[in-house]
Amino acid sequence: MRDVDELKKTPGLSLKRYLVLFVANFIGIYLISFGFDFTINNFNEVILFIFFISIFNAVLWPFLTKMLMPFFVWTFGIAALALNGGILAFFGPFFGIHITGWNIILTPLFIALITIILSTIFSLDDDGAYYQAVLREAQRKRKGDIKDYPGLIIVEIDGLAYDVLCEAIDKGYMPTVKSMIDSKTHVLKKWETDLSSQTGASQAGILHGNNEDITAFRWVEKENDNQIMQCSGVTKVKILEDRISDGNGLLVENGASRSNLFSGDTDDVIFTFSKITDLKKLYNGAWYSIFSNPNNFARIVVLLIEDMIHEIYSQVKHKLLDIRPRISRGIAYIPTRAGTNVFMREINTETLIGDMMIGDIDVAYSTYLGYDEIAHHSGVRDEDA
């Protein structure tokens, strides 16, 4: 537990981080003041306002998160963003700052954008402060002593082939994986799927030990009034899991499912298709790691918007340069790509961090969908993928 002990000793925020956050807040508020429905009477008061909001968030945001987290989850984070902006708008007039209209949402987004830019410029590592916040909550939630045996996290990079993975490692796109292999702590092995070689059949086999009659991604069941079954869509996947599950899946004992098609027979699920229609299971304490910081969800939204802009650029470039093979991607695909490549990625990573910090889960299975989604549309070896 040496790493956890080190995190306990780590200062919550370094002086460098304080300065970056302060400057980001100041620039963000200043830039948004050029828009509509936003007035600043005295910029000296902005400094006091930022200090006040920083103290308010440090002291009261964790309590607000605990009280309102179900609402945050059921609105897919929009409520957290609105609350963040609402706090700025409520206390602003006491400092001569009036935030109204759309700026209630835009202000925290601008602050998050500036924070990302400054953090990149100054190579700022904020992991220590983030982990401390999650660790404190994890210690509160932990049911008992830290277990004396290791857990297991299984990460599925959906659609990634062995040969393409090797190319990505050789070209330097996956330095962490390369270091794991070079250090001899991990071994890369090739695994041949059975038929059908797609996510639904593979994941059903891994999580439930049974992929019988999952013959393709979509297929027609003649004995079922010619109904089209598919390994997507929340109602169809639920039916498939009911068929293949014997109640003794891979995750049935102290397991967690993160962004998968099937649950592995655990109720500890986040964005798991087979159980996503059950609203009671949509809420999960693991969400705390997403909303533990008022700027965290705003950061995710900024990254999501950035990915949408990148996709628009990519579509234009592929068309102008006539890059082939190419399929029609369209407007609807833009938010779809950002949702799978950014939103789901961040949800997966941060909830898994929370799972590890709490330590009650023995095995977690998580699917990262971004590569599969982009490779289908841009090509398996395109720079987008």
Side-chain angles (χ1 to χ4, degrees):
M1 300 311 298
R2 177 172 53 86
D3 294 336
V4 173
D5 291 336
E6 286 299 315
L7 286 172
K8 291 179 182 177
K9 299 174 186 176
T10 304
L13 285 171
S14 65
L15 177 60
K16 189 177 181 180
R17 181 62 182 171
Y18 272 122
L19 290 175
V20 167
L21 287 175
F22 176 81
V23 173
N25 276 268
F26 188 88
I27 295 176
I29 291 174
Y30 181 78
L31 289 178
I32 202 70
S33 68
F34 287 102
F36 300 103
D37 301 324
F38 193 120
T39 58
I40 298 176
N41 295 334
N42 188 334
F43 272 100
N44 291 329
E45 293 181 332
V46 174
I47 297 175
L48 294 176
F49 177 57
I50 294 172
F51 276 120
F52 173 81
I53 290 298
S54 299
I55 295 171
F56 179 92
N57 285 335
V59 175
L60 293 180
W61 185 267
F63 297 102
L64 293 174
T65 299
K66 290 173 186 176
M67 289 189 299
L68 300 175
M69 194 163 63
F71 191 47
F72 291 173
V73 173
W74 290 328
T75 59
F76 297 101
I78 302 302
L81 192 63
L83 177 63
N84 191 5
I87 291 172
L88 297 174
F90 179 81
F91 290 108
F94 295 100
F95 298 86
I97 299 171
H98 300 273
I99 306 172
T100 57
W102 281 103
N103 286 320
I104 292 176
I105 298 294
L106 293 177
T107 301
L109 291 179
F110 262 87
I111 292 173
L113 174 61
I114 301 301
T115 302
I116 292 171
I117 294 172
L118 293 179
S119 296
T120 302
I121 292 173
F122 293 104
S123 301
L124 189 65
D125 183 2
D126 192 32
D127 287 350
Y130 168 76
Y131 285 136
Q132 270 210 328
V134 178
L135 178 60
R136 284 193 295 268
E137 179 66 9
Q139 290 172 326
R140 187 186 68 83
K141 289 181 178 179
R142 192 175 297 133
K143 298 175 183 177
D145 294 334
I146 296 176
K147 297 175 180 178
D148 59 359
Y149 57 86
L152 174 66
I153 292 180
I154 304 171
V155 174
E156 176 185 325
I157 305 178
D158 199 30
L160 180 59
Y162 175 85
D163 291 341
V164 178
L165 173 60
C166 290
E167 287 182 28
I169 293 172
D170 292 339
K171 292 179 179 179
Y173 292 122
M174 304 184 76
T176 301
V177 174
K178 186 178 188 303
S179 67
M180 293 162 68
I181 297 172
D182 291 345
S183 65
K184 308 297 184 182
T185 59
H186 294 74
V187 177
L188 181 62
K189 290 187 176 182
K190 190 173 184 178
W191 173 58
E192 291 287 351
T193 68
D194 62 2
L195 297 176
S196 65
S197 57
Q198 49 87 22
T199 305
S202 298
Q203 205 172 95
I206 295 170
L207 291 176
H208 292 276
N210 180 12
N211 57 10
E212 185 177 356
D213 291 335
I214 301 180
T215 59
F217 186 79
R218 293 184 182 88
W219 66 97
V220 177
E221 294 188 339
K222 295 181 179 180
E223 71 280 5
N224 194 16
D225 295 328
N226 289 326
Q227 182 178 171
I228 296 178
M229 294 297 296
Q230 60 186 33
C231 296
S232 66
V234 292
T235 57
K236 302 296 185 183
V237 175
K238 183 179 186 304
I239 293 172
L240 291 176
E241 179 164 315
D242 290 340
R243 291 179 183 178
I244 64 175
S245 173
D246 62 0
N248 193 33
L250 180 69
L251 308 177
V252 68
E253 293 186 12
N254 293 326
S257 172
R258 305 288 180 250
S259 300
N260 302 315
L261 289 177
F262 302 106
S263 70
D265 292 322
T266 180
D267 285 330
D268 189 344
V269 297
I270 287 180
F271 287 142
T272 297
F273 266 41
S274 63
K275 296 192 176 183
I276 204 169
T277 55
D278 187 344
L279 294 180
K280 292 183 293 184
K281 292 175 182 173
L282 178 62
Y283 172 75
N284 186 313
W287 282 99
Y288 181 85
S289 55
I290 307 295
F291 301 115
S292 59
N293 183 295
N295 296 321
N296 197 29
F297 189 77
R299 167 187 159 276
I300 293 175
V301 173
V302 169
L303 293 176
L304 187 142
I305 294 172
E306 185 275 335
D307 199 68
M308 293 173 69
I309 294 172
H310 187 92
E311 170 57 23
I312 293 171
Y313 165 78
S314 177
Q315 288 192 21
V316 173
K317 182 187 71 174
H318 277 67
K319 189 168 184 178
L320 290 177
L321 299 180
D322 195 26
I323 296 174
R324 296 181 182 275
R326 185 175 78 247
I327 64 174
S328 176
R329 282 140 78 171
I331 295 176
Y333 172 67
I334 297 172
T336 300
R337 164 182 160 153
T340 55
N341 189 44
V342 175
F343 186 78
M344 301 297 288
R345 178 194 71 206
E346 296 297 314
I347 299 299
N348 280 4
T349 302
E350 296 189 24
T351 54
L352 285 172
I353 289 172
D355 292 336
M356 288 188 287
M357 291 288 190
I358 295 173
D360 289 333
I361 290 171
D362 289 342
V363 56
Y365 192 103
S366 180
T367 303
Y368 283 75
L369 302 168
Y371 173 80
D372 183 69
E373 185 67 42
I374 295 174
H376 270 301
H377 292 81
S378 299
V380 295
R381 287 177 171 84
D382 187 84
E383 64 179 7
D384 282 1

Coordinates of all heavy atoms in Angstrom, one line a residue, residues 32-87:
I32 N -15.6 35.9 -21.0 CA -17.0 35.7 -21.1 C -17.7 37.1 -20.9 O -18.9 37.2 -21.4 CB -17.6 34.6 -20.1 CG1 -18.9 34.1 -20.7 CG2 -17.7 35.2 -18.7 CD1 -18.8 33.2 -21.9
S33 N -17.1 38.0 -20.3 CA -17.7 39.3 -20.0 C -17.9 40.1 -21.3 O -18.7 41.1 -21.3 CB -16.9 40.2 -19.0 OG -15.6 40.5 -19.6
F34 N -17.2 39.7 -22.4 CA -17.4 40.3 -23.7 C -18.7 39.9 -24.3 O -19.2 40.5 -25.3 CB -16.3 40.1 -24.6 CG -15.0 40.8 -24.2 CD1 -14.0 40.1 -23.6 CD2 -14.9 42.1 -24.5 CE1 -12.8 40.8 -23.2 CE2 -13.7 42.8 -24.1 CZ -12.7 42.2 -23.5
G35 N -19.4 38.8 -23.8 CA -20.6 38.3 -24.4 C -21.8 39.1 -23.8 O -21.7 40.1 -23.2
F36 N -23.0 38.5 -24.1 CA -24.2 39.1 -23.6 C -24.5 38.6 -22.2 O -24.0 37.6 -21.7 CB -25.4 38.7 -24.6 CG -25.2 39.1 -26.0 CD1 -24.8 38.2 -26.9 CD2 -25.3 40.4 -26.3 CE1 -24.6 38.6 -28.3 CE2 -25.1 40.9 -27.6 CZ -24.8 39.9 -28.6
D37 N -25.4 39.4 -21.5 CA -25.9 39.0 -20.2 C -24.8 38.8 -19.2 O -24.9 37.9 -18.3 CB -26.8 37.7 -20.3 CG -27.9 37.9 -21.3 OD1 -28.5 39.0 -21.3 OD2 -28.2 37.0 -22.0
F38 N -23.7 39.6 -19.2 CA -22.6 39.5 -18.3 C -22.0 40.8 -18.1 O -21.6 41.5 -19.0 CB -21.6 38.5 -18.8 CG -20.6 38.0 -17.8 CD1 -20.5 36.7 -17.5 CD2 -19.8 38.9 -17.2 CE1 -19.6 36.2 -16.6 CE2 -18.9 38.5 -16.2 CZ -18.7 37.2 -15.9
T39 N -22.0 41.3 -16.9 CA -21.4 42.6 -16.6 C -20.5 42.5 -15.4 O -20.7 41.8 -14.4 CB -22.5 43.7 -16.3 OG1 -23.3 43.3 -15.2 CG2 -23.4 43.9 -17.5
I40 N -19.4 43.3 -15.4 CA -18.4 43.3 -14.3 C -18.2 44.8 -14.0 O -17.9 45.6 -14.9 CB -17.1 42.7 -14.7 CG1 -17.2 41.2 -15.0 CG2 -16.0 42.9 -13.6 CD1 -16.0 40.5 -15.5
N41 N -18.5 45.2 -12.7 CA -18.4 46.6 -12.3 C -16.9 47.0 -12.0 O -16.5 48.1 -12.3 CB -19.2 46.9 -11.1 CG -20.7 46.7 -11.4 OD1 -21.1 46.8 -12.6 ND2 -21.5 46.4 -10.4
N42 N -16.2 46.0 -11.4 CA -14.8 46.3 -11.0 C -14.0 45.1 -11.0 O -14.3 44.1 -10.3 CB -14.9 46.9 -9.5 CG -13.5 47.4 -9.1 OD1 -12.5 47.0 -9.6 ND2 -13.5 48.4 -8.2
F43 N -12.9 45.1 -11.8 CA -12.1 43.9 -11.9 C -11.3 43.5 -10.7 O -10.9 42.4 -10.5 CB -11.1 44.0 -13.1 CG -11.7 43.6 -14.4 CD1 -12.2 44.5 -15.3 CD2 -11.9 42.3 -14.7 CE1 -12.8 44.2 -16.5 CE2 -12.4 41.9 -15.9 CZ -12.9 42.8 -16.8
N44 N -11.1 44.5 -9.8 CA -10.5 44.2 -8.5 C -11.4 43.2 -7.7 O -10.9 42.4 -6.9 CB -10.3 45.5 -7.7 CG -9.2 46.3 -8.3 OD1 -8.2 45.8 -9.0 ND2 -9.3 47.6 -8.2
E45 N -12.7 43.4 -7.8 CA -13.6 42.6 -7.1 C -13.7 41.1 -7.7 O -14.1 40.2 -7.0 CB -15.0 43.2 -7.1 CG -15.1 44.5 -6.3 CD -16.5 45.1 -6.3 OE1 -17.3 44.8 -7.3 OE2 -16.9 45.7 -5.3
V46 N -13.2 41.0 -8.9 CA -13.2 39.7 -9.5 C -12.2 38.8 -8.8 O -12.4 37.6 -8.5 CB -12.7 39.7 -11.0 CG1 -12.5 38.3 -11.6 CG2 -13.8 40.5 -11.8
I47 N -11.1 39.4 -8.3 CA -10.1 38.6 -7.6 C -10.7 38.1 -6.3 O -10.5 36.9 -5.9 CB -8.9 39.5 -7.3 CG1 -8.2 39.9 -8.6 CG2 -7.9 38.8 -6.3 CD1 -7.0 40.9 -8.4
L48 N -11.4 39.0 -5.6 CA -12.1 38.5 -4.3 C -13.1 37.5 -4.6 O -13.3 36.5 -3.8 CB -12.7 39.8 -3.6 CG -11.8 40.8 -3.1 CD1 -12.6 42.0 -2.5 CD2 -10.8 40.2 -2.1
F49 N -13.8 37.6 -5.7 CA -14.9 36.7 -6.1 C -14.3 35.3 -6.3 O -14.8 34.3 -5.9 CB -15.6 37.2 -7.4 CG -16.6 36.3 -7.9 CD1 -17.7 35.9 -7.1 CD2 -16.6 35.8 -9.2 CE1 -18.7 35.0 -7.6 CE2 -17.5 34.9 -9.7 CZ -18.6 34.6 -8.9
I50 N -13.1 35.3 -7.0 CA -12.5 34.0 -7.3 C -12.0 33.3 -6.0 O -12.2 32.1 -5.8 CB -11.3 34.2 -8.3 CG1 -11.8 34.6 -9.6 CG2 -10.5 32.9 -8.4 CD1 -10.7 35.0 -10.6
F51 N -11.5 34.1 -5.1 CA -11.1 33.5 -3.8 C -12.2 33.0 -3.0 O -12.2 31.9 -2.5 CB -10.4 34.6 -2.9 CG -8.9 34.8 -3.2 CD1 -8.4 36.0 -3.7 CD2 -8.0 33.7 -3.1 CE1 -7.1 36.2 -4.0 CE2 -6.7 33.9 -3.4 CZ -6.2 35.1 -3.8
F52 N -13.4 33.7 -3.1 CA -14.6 33.2 -2.4 C -15.1 31.9 -3.0 O -15.4 31.0 -2.2 CB -15.6 34.3 -2.4 CG -17.0 33.9 -1.9 CD1 -17.2 33.9 -0.5 CD2 -18.0 33.4 -2.7 CE1 -18.4 33.5 0.0 CE2 -19.2 33.0 -2.2 CZ -19.4 33.0 -0.8
I53 N -15.2 31.9 -4.3 CA -15.7 30.7 -4.9 C -14.8 29.5 -4.7 O -15.3 28.4 -4.5 CB -15.9 31.0 -6.5 CG1 -17.0 31.9 -6.7 CG2 -16.1 29.7 -7.2 CD1 -18.4 31.4 -6.3
S54 N -13.5 29.7 -4.7 CA -12.5 28.6 -4.4 C -12.8 28.1 -3.1 O -12.8 26.8 -2.9 CB -11.1 29.2 -4.6 OG -10.9 29.6 -5.9
I55 N -13.0 28.9 -2.1 CA -13.2 28.4 -0.7 C -14.5 27.7 -0.6 O -14.7 26.7 0.0 CB -13.1 29.6 0.3 CG1 -11.7 30.2 0.3 CG2 -13.6 29.2 1.7 CD1 -11.6 31.5 1.1
F56 N -15.6 28.3 -1.3 CA -16.9 27.7 -1.3 C -16.9 26.3 -1.8 O -17.4 25.3 -1.3 CB -17.8 28.6 -2.1 CG -19.3 28.0 -2.1 CD1 -20.2 28.4 -1.2 CD2 -19.6 27.1 -3.1 CE1 -21.5 27.9 -1.2 CE2 -20.9 26.6 -3.2 CZ -21.9 27.0 -2.3
N57 N -16.2 26.2 -3.0 CA -16.1 24.8 -3.6 C -15.3 23.8 -2.8 O -15.7 22.7 -2.8 CB -15.5 25.0 -5.0 CG -16.5 25.6 -6.0 OD1 -17.7 25.5 -5.9 ND2 -15.9 26.2 -7.1
A58 N -14.2 24.3 -2.2 CA -13.4 23.4 -1.4 C -14.2 22.9 -0.2 O -14.1 21.7 0.2 CB -12.1 24.1 -1.0
V59 N -15.0 23.7 0.4 CA -15.7 23.4 1.6 C -17.0 22.7 1.4 O -17.4 21.7 2.0 CB -15.9 24.6 2.5 CG1 -16.7 24.3 3.8 CG2 -14.5 25.2 2.9
L60 N -17.8 23.3 0.5 CA -19.2 22.8 0.4 C -19.5 22.0 -0.9 O -20.5 21.2 -0.9 CB -20.2 24.1 0.3 CG -20.2 24.9 1.6 CD1 -21.1 26.1 1.4 CD2 -20.7 24.0 2.8
W61 N -18.7 22.0 -1.9 CA -19.0 21.2 -3.1 C -19.1 19.7 -2.8 O -20.0 19.1 -3.3 CB -18.0 21.5 -4.2 CG -18.4 20.8 -5.5 CD1 -18.0 19.6 -5.9 CD2 -19.3 21.2 -6.5 NE1 -18.5 19.2 -7.1 CE2 -19.4 20.2 -7.5 CE3 -20.1 22.4 -6.6 CZ2 -20.2 20.3 -8.6 CZ3 -20.9 22.5 -7.8 CH2 -20.9 21.5 -8.7
P62 N -18.2 19.2 -2.0 CA -18.3 17.7 -1.7 C -19.7 17.4 -1.1 O -20.3 16.3 -1.4 CB -17.2 17.5 -0.7 CG -16.2 18.5 -1.1 CD -17.0 19.7 -1.4
F63 N -20.2 18.2 -0.2 CA -21.5 18.0 0.4 C -22.6 18.1 -0.6 O -23.6 17.3 -0.6 CB -21.7 18.9 1.6 CG -20.8 18.8 2.7 CD1 -19.7 19.6 2.8 CD2 -20.9 17.7 3.6 CE1 -18.8 19.5 3.9 CE2 -20.0 17.5 4.6 CZ -18.9 18.4 4.7
L64 N -22.5 19.1 -1.5 CA -23.6 19.3 -2.5 C -23.5 18.1 -3.5 O -24.6 17.6 -3.9 CB -23.3 20.5 -3.3 CG -23.5 21.9 -2.6 CD1 -23.0 23.0 -3.5 CD2 -24.9 22.1 -2.2
T65 N -22.4 17.6 -3.8 CA -22.2 16.4 -4.7 C -22.9 15.2 -4.1 O -23.7 14.5 -4.7 CB -20.8 16.1 -4.9 OG1 -20.1 17.2 -5.6 CG2 -20.6 14.9 -5.8
K66 N -22.7 14.9 -2.8 CA -23.3 13.8 -2.1 C -24.8 13.9 -2.1 O -25.5 12.9 -2.3 CB -22.8 13.6 -0.7 CG -21.3 13.2 -0.7 CD -20.8 13.3 0.7 CE -19.3 13.0 0.7 NZ -18.7 13.1 2.1
M67 N -25.3 15.1 -1.9 CA -26.8 15.3 -1.8 C -27.5 15.2 -3.2 O -28.6 14.7 -3.3 CB -27.1 16.7 -1.2 CG -26.8 16.7 0.3 SD -27.5 18.3 1.1 CE -26.6 19.5 0.2
L68 N -26.8 15.8 -4.2 CA -27.4 15.9 -5.5 C -26.9 15.0 -6.5 O -27.4 15.0 -7.7 CB -27.2 17.4 -6.0 CG -27.8 18.5 -5.1 CD1 -27.4 19.8 -5.7 CD2 -29.3 18.4 -5.0
M69 N -26.0 14.0 -6.2 CA -25.4 13.2 -7.2 C -26.5 12.4 -8.0 O -26.3 12.2 -9.2 CB -24.4 12.2 -6.6 CG -23.5 11.6 -7.6 SD -22.0 10.9 -7.0 CE -22.7 9.6 -5.9
P70 N -27.5 11.8 -7.4 CA -28.5 11.1 -8.2 C -29.1 12.0 -9.3 O -29.2 11.6 -10.5 CB -29.6 10.7 -7.2 CG -28.9 10.6 -5.9 CD -27.9 11.7 -5.9
F71 N -29.3 13.3 -9.0 CA -29.8 14.2 -10.0 C -28.7 14.5 -11.0 O -29.1 14.6 -12.2 CB -30.2 15.5 -9.3 CG -31.0 16.5 -10.2 CD1 -32.1 16.0 -11.0 CD2 -30.7 17.8 -10.3 CE1 -32.8 16.9 -11.8 CE2 -31.4 18.7 -11.1 CZ -32.4 18.2 -11.8
F72 N -27.5 14.6 -10.6 CA -26.4 14.8 -11.6 C -26.4 13.6 -12.6 O -26.2 13.8 -13.8 CB -25.0 14.8 -10.9 CG -24.8 16.0 -10.0 CD1 -23.7 16.1 -9.2 CD2 -25.7 17.1 -10.1 CE1 -23.5 17.3 -8.5 CE2 -25.5 18.2 -9.3 CZ -24.4 18.3 -8.5
V73 N -26.5 12.4 -12.1 CA -26.4 11.2 -12.9 C -27.6 11.1 -13.8 O -27.4 10.8 -15.0 CB -26.3 9.9 -12.0 CG1 -26.4 8.6 -12.9 CG2 -25.1 9.9 -11.2
W74 N -28.8 11.3 -13.3 CA -30.0 11.2 -14.2 C -30.1 12.2 -15.2 O -30.8 12.1 -16.2 CB -31.2 11.2 -13.3 CG -31.4 9.9 -12.4 CD1 -30.9 8.7 -12.8 CD2 -31.9 9.8 -11.1 NE1 -31.2 7.8 -11.7 CE2 -31.8 8.5 -10.7 CE3 -32.5 10.7 -10.2 CZ2 -32.2 8.0 -9.5 CZ3 -32.9 10.3 -9.0 CH2 -32.8 8.9 -8.6
T75 N -29.4 13.3 -15.1 CA -29.3 14.4 -16.1 C -28.0 14.3 -16.9 O -27.7 15.2 -17.7 CB -29.4 15.8 -15.5 OG1 -28.4 16.0 -14.6 CG2 -30.8 16.0 -14.8
F76 N -27.3 13.1 -16.7 CA -26.0 12.9 -17.4 C -25.0 14.1 -17.3 O -24.3 14.4 -18.2 CB -26.3 12.6 -18.9 CG -27.1 11.3 -19.1 CD1 -28.4 11.4 -19.4 CD2 -26.5 10.1 -19.0 CE1 -29.2 10.3 -19.6 CE2 -27.2 8.9 -19.2 CZ -28.6 9.0 -19.5
G77 N -25.0 14.6 -16.1 CA -24.0 15.7 -15.7 C -24.4 17.1 -16.0 O -23.8 18.0 -15.5
I78 N -25.5 17.3 -16.8 CA -25.9 18.7 -17.1 C -26.3 19.4 -15.9 O -26.0 20.6 -15.7 CB -27.1 18.7 -18.1 CG1 -26.7 17.9 -19.4 CG2 -27.5 20.1 -18.4 CD1 -25.5 18.4 -20.1
A79 N -26.9 18.8 -14.9 CA -27.3 19.4 -13.6 C -26.0 19.9 -12.9 O -26.0 21.0 -12.3 CB -28.1 18.5 -12.8
A80 N -25.0 19.1 -12.9 CA -23.7 19.5 -12.2 C -23.1 20.8 -12.9 O -22.7 21.7 -12.2 CB -22.7 18.4 -12.3
L81 N -23.2 20.8 -14.2 CA -22.7 22.0 -14.9 C -23.5 23.2 -14.6 O -23.0 24.3 -14.4 CB -22.7 21.7 -16.4 CG -22.0 22.7 -17.4 CD1 -20.5 22.7 -17.1 CD2 -22.3 22.3 -18.8
A82 N -24.9 23.0 -14.6 CA -25.8 24.1 -14.3 C -25.6 24.6 -12.8 O -25.6 25.8 -12.6 CB -27.2 23.7 -14.5
L83 N -25.4 23.7 -11.9 CA -25.2 24.1 -10.5 C -23.9 24.9 -10.4 O -23.8 25.9 -9.6 CB -25.1 22.8 -9.6 CG -24.8 23.1 -8.1 CD1 -25.9 23.9 -7.5 CD2 -24.6 21.8 -7.4
N84 N -22.8 24.5 -11.1 CA -21.6 25.2 -11.0 C -21.7 26.6 -11.5 O -21.3 27.6 -10.8 CB -20.5 24.4 -11.9 CG -19.1 25.0 -11.7 OD1 -18.9 25.8 -10.8 ND2 -18.2 24.5 -12.5
G85 N -22.4 26.8 -12.6 CA -22.7 28.1 -13.1 C -23.7 28.9 -12.3 O -23.5 30.1 -12.1
G86 N -24.6 28.1 -11.7 CA -25.6 28.8 -10.8 C -25.0 29.4 -9.6 O -25.4 30.5 -9.1
I87 N -24.0 28.7 -9.0 CA -23.3 29.2 -7.9 C -22.5 30.5 -8.2 O -22.6 31.5 -7.4 CB -22.3 28.2 -7.3 CG1 -23.0 27.0 -6.7 CG2 -21.3 28.7 -6.3 CD1 -22.2 25.8 -6.4

